[in-house]
Amino acid sequence: MHIALFGATGGTGRQVVAQALEQGHRITALVRDPSKLTPYPDLTLVTGDVLDPAAVARCLAGTDAVVCVLGSHGSKTPIEARGTERILTAMQDQGVRRLVVVTSLGVGESRTQLAWPWRLIMDLTLKAILEAKAEQERLVKASGLDWIIVRPGGLTDGPRTGAYRFGTDPTLKAGRVSRADVADFVLRQLSEDRFLHQAPAVT
């Protein structure tokens, strides 16, 4: 599969790159700084910004599916919603239908899946980002595309284990999960329909 990837230089994005290439996929990634990724034969880097519609369109050209792992990384102006809006428009223009988006447990109705201390911490420190992710999810759900929203728990840099929990059961509580395991789950959603038009947790 030829995957368009947004957010490739973040922790989860790097895991998506490594595992997708290992599985034989091709990737075209939109990046602001190409020096942040190691070159590979099946990895094409498009230099640009996700808020630039022309750059997003170049990244999508000729691809089969999109993986979006955009993150704000402490920015005062979260890009999740605005960047995703550009991606959705380009997908609709080019007829690319499959979309896997990573947001977070705690967004939308999944707020109840966080223990109350984490809810308080996120409200105090990540309010703007959570609001951007909620708007991002709203845009995706209204897109008419073949979308899956993945909501991970607390991210770690641990190894891929395959021993994570996932699903749409609202009693599934947020816990720690490695970025490598999140990437494993994300890539599975490119070819599986079990969670089509749903927002499973992974933890």
Side-chain angles (χ1 to χ4, degrees), residues 49-203:
D49 192 290
V50 73
L51 299 182
D52 176 5
V56 172
R58 288 197 303 274
C59 184
L60 270 166
T63 59
D64 305 307
V66 172
V67 172
C68 175
V69 285
L70 289 175
S72 295
H73 307 298
S75 169
K76 292 182 180 179
T77 307
I79 63 166
E80 285 88 342
R82 293 181 299 146
T84 298
E85 189 172 31
R86 307 299 194 279
I87 294 166
L88 295 173
T89 297
M91 290 182 69
Q92 291 159 348
D93 288 346
Q94 297 190 32
V96 180
R97 295 204 51 81
R98 190 64 158 207
L99 172 64
V100 183
V101 177
V102 177
T103 62
S104 175
L105 270 172
V107 176
E109 77 283 358
S110 71
R111 178 178 170 83
T112 59
Q113 292 173 253
L114 298 179
W116 73 262
W118 286 110
R119 273 182 260 171
L120 179 61
I121 290 170
M122 293 179 79
D123 286 346
L124 291 173
T125 62
L126 299 173
K127 184 177 180 181
I129 291 175
L130 287 174
E131 289 175 349
K133 289 183 182 295
E135 175 64 8
Q136 177 185 30
E137 290 195 359
R138 187 193 69 77
L139 292 167
V140 169
K141 291 175 180 179
S143 67
L145 298 171
D146 298 332
W147 56 267
I148 297 170
I149 294 170
V150 176
R151 293 170 170 165
L155 295 169
T156 75
D157 290 322
R160 176 172 47 170
T161 67
Y164 52 85
R165 297 170 298 150
F166 61 88
T168 55
D169 184 342
T171 65
L172 181 61
K173 296 299 183 181
R176 296 288 185 180
V177 63
S178 71
R179 292 176 173 86
D181 276 339
V182 174
D184 178 80
F185 184 75
V186 163
L187 289 170
R188 287 169 52 190
Q189 306 319 303
L190 292 173
S191 57
E192 296 180 6
D193 289 340
R194 176 178 176 182
F195 295 114
L196 190 62
H197 298 153
Q198 297 182 70
V202 55
T203 187

Side-chain angles (χ1 to χ4, degrees), residues 26-45:
R26 289 185 297 142
I27 295 177
T28 299
L30 181 64
V31 294
R32 284 178 291 183
D33 183 358
S35 68
K36 290 186 176 181
L37 286 178
T38 303
Y40 290 97
D42 288 328
L43 173 62
T44 300
L45 302 181

